[in-house]
Amino acid sequence: MAYDLAIVLPTFNESRNVGPIVDRLENTLAKALGGIRYEVIFVDDDSPDGTADVVRLLAERHDNVRVLQRIGRRGLASACIEGILGAAAPFVAVIDADMQHDEAVLPEMLRRIREENLDLVVGSRNIAGGSMGEFTKWRVKLSHLGKRLSLMGVEHELSDPMSGFFMVRVSAFERFAHRLSGIGFKILLDIVLSAGPGLKIGEVPYRFRQREHGESKLDMVVGLEYFELLVDKHLGNMVNVRFVLFGMVGALGVGVHLLILSGLLRIAGLSFATGQAITTFIVMILNFVLNNSVTYRDRRLRGWRFWSGLITFCLACGLGVTANVAIANEAFRRGVPWVLAAVTGLLFTAVWNYGVTAMTTWRQERRSSEKRARQRMEAGALQAGRQGDKEMPAKTM
Ligand code: GDD
Ligand code: MN
């Protein structure tokens, strides 16, 4: 059987929502437009609550449901991209698994994308008939601010570029898929910025609903990822975003260093050598903590790994700084102007520190997720999922 439509649902800790959403999709799609033939693809990032196991159980009863479980990965946007590319249908709808998006508008989206020969239909909260629902005031504001920033330099008219609910024509998607950044939460924005002109877009209103189970993953980090997405879209052909973040943390470190050092020299009256040594130590720790929680938040080191990471970080950066001084001195001695000599040394250190700590301190760790999965199996998460899946539909219908 060929599918008319694929539904891609990114999930992270949604074990209590996946059962009900599958039922809702069936209720809406099976009879609409003379019977839509659809497949359901969950893309799960190895959720600790065992979401993927729950979907596999659902798949035993529903031929059209499957899960793509990603190990060692995190990210809403990249999950959507992989789900879309894994679909067999010519059209794919991306919708949250927590039932905040209104699945009832899916048939209308499909009708429009086909009849008007569109490439993209966006579920919008900002046109007549749509609504932000129970969004808190600050999130409405944030959404509007993001909207203003996001379409900088793009001529597309979109009332809700921050929406996570849309339908796309796969043949159009394949044309720009390699240009996508896949960073963070804002997959629709990524699509629109990557596609360039010529994308035929329509909008359908919907009302954003309240979440019933689980919690939102939108936090400070997601805000940061939004900034990363914009950096990547504008500078991504030249530099790696992680390197930009690492560099920004480093630059911040230099500022803090000067501040602390001046305090130690002027107020505490320490000698330059002592002050410099103490400050270097403090700033190195600060940089490690910042990089660990921002630049490498996806591989954040915890427990004893935090401390061993701190040691490798300090060793690597210590060497980098020593080399910096040596290189800058040598260049200066050979007649390179001092600014250029200093910048050369700094650049070398930045690249060295980044490269070496990426290979040592924040090397991809496979064992920890395996351990977690084993614990989950032992704790019988599968059993819990089976029960959860039985009781859920009754509650929501
Ligand atoms: N695979 C995967 N990986 N899925 C994720 C991740 C992740 O790292 N983070 C979140 N998700 C899944 C959630 O499980 C949920 O199904 C969906 O993505 C949306 O996440 P929420 O945390 O519920 O986001 P929100 O409700 O605050 O915001 C959503 O709706 C807004 C309005 O459309 C997002 O889609 C926003 O981008 C959107 O603006
Ligand atoms: Mn949500």
Side-chain angles (χ1 to χ4, degrees), residues 156-177:
H156 289 297
E157 278 295 320
L158 262 190
S159 67
D160 194 0
M162 299 308 196
S163 178
F165 183 28
F166 59 89
M167 189 179 291
V168 66
R169 180 183 293 272
V170 176
S171 58
F173 185 82
E174 283 167 346
R175 284 203 300 271
F176 54 77

Side-chain angles (χ1 to χ4, degrees), residues 66-296:
R66 65 199 148 104
V67 63
L68 208 149
Q69 183 178 358
R70 307 194 304 169
I71 293 177
R73 307 270 305 280
R74 257 319 283 281
L76 176 47
S78 62
C80 295
I81 295 170
E82 283 155 47
I84 295 170
L85 293 174
F91 301 102
V92 179
V94 170
I95 182 168
D96 288 353
D98 57 9
M99 296 176 280
Q100 290 198 268
H101 293 159
D102 186 0
E103 72 287 341
V105 303
L106 284 168
E108 172 65 3
M109 286 175 146
L110 183 61
R111 189 190 65 76
R112 288 200 49 196
I113 206 167
R114 277 174 173 165
E115 286 177 13
E116 296 173 31
N117 199 23
L118 301 171
D119 297 317
L120 181 70
V121 177
V122 179
S124 170
R125 297 162 291 180
N126 297 330
I127 50 176
S131 144
M132 289 274 189
E134 312 284 310
F135 249 22
T136 51
K137 241 191 228 144
W138 73 267
R139 266 207 70 176
V140 174
K141 274 207 188 114
L142 205 69
S143 187
H144 288 315
L145 173 74
K147 182 177 151 188
R148 237 180 293 147
L149 283 176
S150 64
L151 289 180
M152 275 176 335
V154 177
E155 76 291 1
H156 289 297
E157 278 295 320
L158 262 190
S159 67
D160 194 0
M162 299 308 196
S163 178
F165 183 28
F166 59 89
M167 189 179 291
V168 66
R169 180 183 293 272
V170 176
S171 58
F173 185 82
E174 283 167 346
R175 284 203 300 271
F176 54 77
H178 293 87
R179 292 200 292 271
L180 293 165
S181 299
I183 299 172
F185 246 52
K186 300 303 169 191
I187 173 64
L188 176 64
L189 183 63
D190 195 358
I191 287 179
V192 174
L193 293 178
S194 303
L199 201 68
K200 282 174 279 172
I201 309 180
E203 291 183 311
V204 170
Y206 81 97
R207 203 183 134 75
F208 198 66
R209 294 190 293 227
Q210 280 286 70
R211 200 183 235 282
E212 287 168 37
H213 308 290
E215 50 192 39
S216 170
K217 282 91 208 170
L218 193 122
D219 55 12
M220 281 290 289
V221 163
V222 170
L224 184 87
E225 284 173 341
Y226 172 62
F227 165 77
E228 281 180 47
L229 173 66
L230 294 186
V231 169
D232 191 59
K233 276 278 149 299
H234 293 109
L235 303 172
N237 292 334
M238 293 179 286
V239 282
N240 170 296
V241 184
R242 224 196 271 269
F243 181 64
V244 172
L245 285 176
F246 192 87
M248 283 170 58
V249 169
L252 186 76
V254 172
V256 173
H257 188 111
L258 295 180
L259 219 70
I260 298 181
L261 185 60
S262 80
L264 288 181
L265 297 186
R266 286 204 209 132
I267 302 162
L270 294 186
S271 74
F272 179 79
T274 323
Q276 174 75 356
I278 294 176
T279 315
T280 305
F281 189 66
I282 298 174
V283 169
M284 209 116 82
I285 294 175
L286 175 78
N287 271 15
F288 172 72
V289 171
L290 277 178
N291 278 316
N292 194 42
S293 43
V294 177
T295 317
Y296 285 102

